[in-house]
Amino acid sequence: MKHTLFFILFIIFAPLVFCQENREVKNEVGLFISDLINGTYSFTYERAMGKHISVGLGFGIKADDGFIKFSGLDTDNIKTADISYTGFKITPEVRYYIHQKGNAMFTGFYFGAYTRLVNYKTDLSGIYIDSQDVSHYFLYKGDIDVNSVGFMIGYKLPVTNHLKIDFLIAGPGAGYFTFKLKDVIPPPDEFYDDLNSALEKYSFLDFLNADFQFKKTNLKEKLTLPSFRYGLSVTYSF
């Protein structure tokens, strides 16, 4: 019985003692500081795999606040409130650190690849003025799904033995967007031609040349658009 108990204790505590002696840590958690500006609480987990490679997983929750907001539509026929959204994002990634630091969490320059799954929900409400100058209140529930893939380059700066600052310098990629609207209080049929025209001229969508074609019988649109990642995070290894 004593031998069995000793064996169990050895199995539990031996890895801890070994890690203390070698001072090698393979796990790291982090908080994306830059995402807080947009009301998103993003957390990361990274695990060292071998001498240069690590794998990671990020998870973020978007609250209905933040400094970055989208202005509403304001045309002769359609006027809406400012657009806010909530949702979540999941980001698996793999990294290759250029400088070898042993089988522990790495620092310095890295490059890698990522994929991202995003779901956002929003409301679109406002007033539509038809060709007869009659005003109609409308309300839609919006749903946005984004599946993106891309590459990234960054630099991880050590501050202490465990604390680091991770600079994600650039992460260009391609995103596959699905926009869906659910009519709660629908306007007249002619509303959709005016909506599509307004969206084509709407801020960054016009810059991306996004061609929306919503119809009463088709409130779903798919587009392939550029995507980009960047940011600043603080991490802790253990």
Side-chain angles (χ1 to χ4, degrees), residues 93-118:
E93 62 180 39
V94 58
R95 297 182 177 189
Y96 183 92
Y97 288 83
I98 297 175
H99 298 292
Q100 180 177 339
K101 295 294 183 180
N103 294 326
M105 291 310 303
F106 311 113
T107 58
F109 283 102
Y110 63 84
F111 61 88
Y114 70 90
T115 181
R116 171 171 284 183
L117 307 176
V118 177

Side-chain angles (χ1 to χ4, degrees), residues 163-217:
L163 189 66
K164 303 178 181 69
I165 300 177
D166 190 352
F167 299 90
L168 179 54
I169 300 172
Y176 306 94
F177 292 72
T178 301
F179 300 86
K180 292 180 287 186
L181 293 176
K182 179 181 180 181
D183 53 349
V184 180
I185 304 177
D189 292 350
E190 61 186 278
F191 163 80
Y192 296 98
D193 290 334
D194 291 326
L195 175 63
N196 294 328
S197 299
L199 289 174
E200 289 175 358
K201 300 176 182 178
Y202 181 54
S203 149
F204 71 96
L205 295 177
D206 179 48
F207 174 75
L208 296 173
N209 194 28
D211 185 16
F212 287 93
Q213 291 297 322
F214 288 113
K215 301 178 182 178
K216 182 176 179 60
T217 56

Side-chain angles (χ1 to χ4, degrees), residues 2-122:
K2 291 182 179 180
H3 293 292
T4 302
L5 179 59
F6 175 80
F7 179 75
I8 294 174
L9 293 175
F10 177 80
I11 292 297
I12 294 174
F13 291 106
L16 299 177
V17 174
F18 179 81
C19 289
Q20 290 294 326
E21 290 177 350
N22 289 274
R23 298 184 181 276
E24 291 187 345
V25 290
K26 296 185 178 182
N27 303 287
E28 193 168 271
V29 293
L31 172 67
F32 253 100
I33 301 298
S34 54
D35 278 3
L36 295 174
I37 298 175
N38 193 31
T40 302
Y41 303 90
S42 296
F43 304 92
T44 61
Y45 171 75
E46 187 178 357
R47 169 78 177 179
M49 307 290 290
K51 295 182 178 180
H52 293 276
I53 298 175
S54 73
V55 294
L57 180 67
F59 180 77
I61 300 176
K62 173 67 175 69
D64 191 12
D65 55 16
F67 292 106
I68 301 176
K69 296 184 181 295
F70 297 101
S71 59
L73 301 176
D74 188 5
T75 68
D76 293 337
N77 303 96
I78 302 176
K79 299 184 183 298
T80 72
D82 290 345
I83 300 174
S84 61
Y85 57 97
T86 60
F88 67 89
K89 58 182 178 181
I90 301 174
T91 311
E93 62 180 39
V94 58
R95 297 182 177 189
Y96 183 92
Y97 288 83
I98 297 175
H99 298 292
Q100 180 177 339
K101 295 294 183 180
N103 294 326
M105 291 310 303
F106 311 113
T107 58
F109 283 102
Y110 63 84
F111 61 88
Y114 70 90
T115 181
R116 171 171 284 183
L117 307 176
V118 177
N119 177 262
Y120 290 138
K121 298 185 184 300
T122 185

